[in-house]
Amino acid sequence: MVQELTHFVDGKRLPGTSGKFGDVYDPNTGEVQARVPLADKAETEAIIANAEAAQKQWAAFNPQKRARVLMKFLQLVQEEMDSLARLLSSEHGKTIPDAKGDIQRGLEVIEFALGAPHLLKGEYTESAGTGIDVYSMRQPLGVVAGITPFNFPAMIPLWKAGPALAAGNAFILKPSERDPSVPLRLAELFTEAGLPGGVFNVVNGDKEVVDVLLTDDRVKAVGFVGSTPIAQYIYETAARHGKRAQCFGGAKNHAIVMPDADLDQVADALIGAGYGSAGERCMAISVAVPVGQDTADALVAKLTERIGALRIGRSDDEKADFGPLVSRDALDRVNDYIGIGVDEGADLVVDGRGFVLDGHESGFFAGATLFDRVTPDMRIYREEIFGPVLLIARAADYEQALALPTEHDYGNGVAIFTRDGDTARDFTHRVEVGMVGVNVPIPVPIAYHTFGGWKRSGFGDLNQHGPDSFRFYTKTKTVTQRWPSGTKEHATDHFVIPTMN
Ligand code: NAD
C-alpha cells in the first residue's frame, strides 16, 4: 500500500492541502512506496508564521536548558537507531551500515551543539575608556531555514538544525522530496525530547516552497546543500532578499597517488571512497590521479581486481557493498555519462551499465565503472556524475597531479596518498580545495571543526558545523556602557566616538 506522508508543523504531523504530491520510491524494486505532499505558498507561509510565534519562547530558554532538550533528543535517536537506519535505507538505497553512519555523523553535530552555553559566550573588555566597559553578545536570528539533499537525509538536516536550535532559532527544514520519512521522524523525536511546538518544522515541497523561504522577510537565514546550479540560485536569491546564506554544492574529489604510497591500501581506500553508497556522497572520490606510469598501471590492475569482488545488492542485504541509486533519473544520468566517456575516448576498463540484480529487474541498480586515461577536457572529468564511476587521470609528476584538483571548478574534498611528509605538507598548503585528506580518502571534518568546499562547491562565507555554525546562526550585538559612579569619579574625562574634534 502506498503510504501518504505529511508535513510537520507545531509539534505534530500535518497532512498537505495543496493537492500536489511527489512519489517516493523503493529503489530496490523501483516501486512507489509513499506519496509526499508538496506544499504551496499558503501552506509555507502558515508554517513560517507558526515558527515565528514559537521562536520567542524558545529563545527565552537559557542555553543550558536548550542543550538539555538536544541531549534528550540524542538519546532518543540512539535508542531508535536500527529502525531509523532501516527507514532511511528503504528510501535512499544506501546499505544499513551506511544509513547508520548518516545518522551518527548527524548526531555528532548535535553533541557539539550541546556546548551552546560555552559557544554562545560573548566577549568583554573592561575599561575600554575611562569608566567604560564594552561587551558583545550573540543573539539568535529568529526563523531560519534549511534546504537539504537526498543523499544524507539525516546527517545534513541535523548539521543545520543542531546549531540553529541550540542558538535559539526556530528551524524550518525543506528536506529532499525523494527521502522525506527520516526527517519527519526526527521532527517527532525533537518534540518527544521537549522541543516546543513550532521550533522545528518540516515542510515538504519543491521550488514553490523554496522560493517562499527565499523571499519571505520573516526567514532570516537559509542553509542549503545540494547541486551547484541550485546552490548558486539559492545563494543569489537569498542574498538579494537580505538573508544570510550558506550554500554547498557539487564536487569532483581527486585522490593523488604518489609512487611511494602503499598501493594495496590505496586501492582498498579508493574502492570504499569511490563506490561506497553507490558514489552518492559529496565527498566520494571520483578521480584517482596516479603519479607515473608504473603507479598507474599497478593501481588500475589492483582496482580492477577488487571491483570484480564487489557485491551489489539490496540496501538491506547485510553483505552488500553498495545498493541501488536513489532514482531512475539518477541511473539514467550515470549510464548517459558512461556513454559520453566512451565517445570522448576515455578507456572503459570496467563497464557497470546493464547490471541487473536477480528478482529486482526494475530496481535502480548500477554496477561499478572504471575509466582510465581520462583527460581534463572531457565532460566526464569536468562534471559531477554522482554514481559508482571512478576515473583515472594519469599524471606524469607531482606538479601535474597537484594542478588537477587545484584548477578544477569544484573544490570540495581531495586526498593525497604518500609516505613522504614534505610532499604531503606541500600539497596541503598549495591545493585549492576546502577539505584535504592525507592518507585519508574521505576527509569529512569532525563535528567541532568545520565543513565546507571552495570554488563552485560552496557559496557564502561561513562553513557548516564547528564554531562557524554558531556564527552563522547568531548575530552579534555590542554594548558600550558607563555607569553614574564612573561618570562622577572621572567627571573631567570624556569618552566620545572619534570625531574630527
Ligand atoms: P538537488 O540540488 O537536486 O536538491 C537539493 C535540494 O534543493 C532539495 O531539497 C530539492 O528539493 C531542492 N531543489 C531542487 N531543485 C530546485 C529548484 N529548481 N529550486 C529550488 N529548490 C530546488 O540535489 P540532490 O540531487 O538532492 O543532492 C545531490 C547533490 O548534492 C550533489 O550535487 C552533491 O554533490 C550535493 N551535495 C553536496 C554536499 C556538500 O556539502 N557540498 C553534501 C551532500 C550533497
Side-chain angles (χ1 to χ4, degrees), residues 434-454:
M435 292 171 282
V436 185
V438 176
N439 300 313
V440 171
I442 302 193
V444 176
I446 199 91
Y448 38 92
H449 282 262
T450 191
F451 183 108
W454 287 8

Side-chain angles (χ1 to χ4, degrees), residues 2 9 15-16 29 33 39 47 57 74 92 101 124 163 206 218 237 240 271 300 353 390 427 501:
V2 175
V9 186
T29 62
Q33 57 169 319
I47 292 172
Q57 180 202 352
L74 192 65
H92 178 288
Y124 194 94
D206 53 20
R218 294 167 294 184
T237 314
R240 216 175 314 118
I271 291 289
V300 171
R353 287 174 296 185
L390 181 62
F427 183 77
N501 305 323

Side-chain angles (χ1 to χ4, degrees), residues 147-152 155-156 159 174-178 205-207 210-211 214 224-228 230-231 233-234 248-251 281-282 333 384 386 412 435 451 453 457 464:
I147 300 157
T148 55
F150 81 86
N151 69 321
F152 282 100
M155 179 182 87
I156 294 178
W159 280 9
K174 206 304 283 170
S176 170
E177 58 276 41
R178 284 179 250 171
D206 53 20
K207 188 173 186 324
V210 172
D211 283 344
L214 294 179
F224 172 87
V225 177
S227 58
T228 288
I230 311 296
Y233 167 75
I234 292 197
F248 300 96
R281 292 177 180 144
C282 65
R333 189 191 58 239
E384 183 182 43
F386 220 57
N412 211 38
M435 292 171 282
F451 183 108
S457 295
Q464 303 187 94

Side-chain angles (χ1 to χ4, degrees), residues 331-343 348 350-356 365-371 388-389:
L331 178 59
D332 291 345
R333 189 191 58 239
V334 168
N335 286 337
D336 286 351
Y337 268 115
I338 298 171
I340 290 168
V342 172
D343 293 346
L348 183 58
V350 183
D351 185 353
R353 287 174 296 185
F355 174 87
V356 176
F365 291 93
T369 291
L370 181 67
F371 273 112
V389 181

Side-chain angles (χ1 to χ4, degrees), residues 355-425:
F355 174 87
V356 176
L357 183 70
D358 270 355
H360 294 74
E361 286 68 18
S362 301
F364 308 139
F365 291 93
T369 291
L370 181 67
F371 273 112
D372 193 4
R373 299 182 193 282
V374 173
T375 52
D377 53 311
M378 294 180 181
R379 274 185 63 195
I380 55 166
Y381 176 78
R382 294 197 318 269
E383 299 171 15
E384 183 182 43
I385 299 175
F386 220 57
V389 181
L390 181 62
L391 315 180
I392 306 285
R394 294 171 174 236
D397 55 31
Y398 167 70
E399 286 297 330
Q400 212 182 72
L402 169 69
L404 286 171
T406 298
E407 288 168 11
H408 202 284
D409 278 354
Y410 291 117
N412 211 38
V414 72
I416 185 166
F417 291 91
T418 180
R419 296 175 206 243
D420 183 69
D422 272 349
T423 308
R425 189 170 186 279

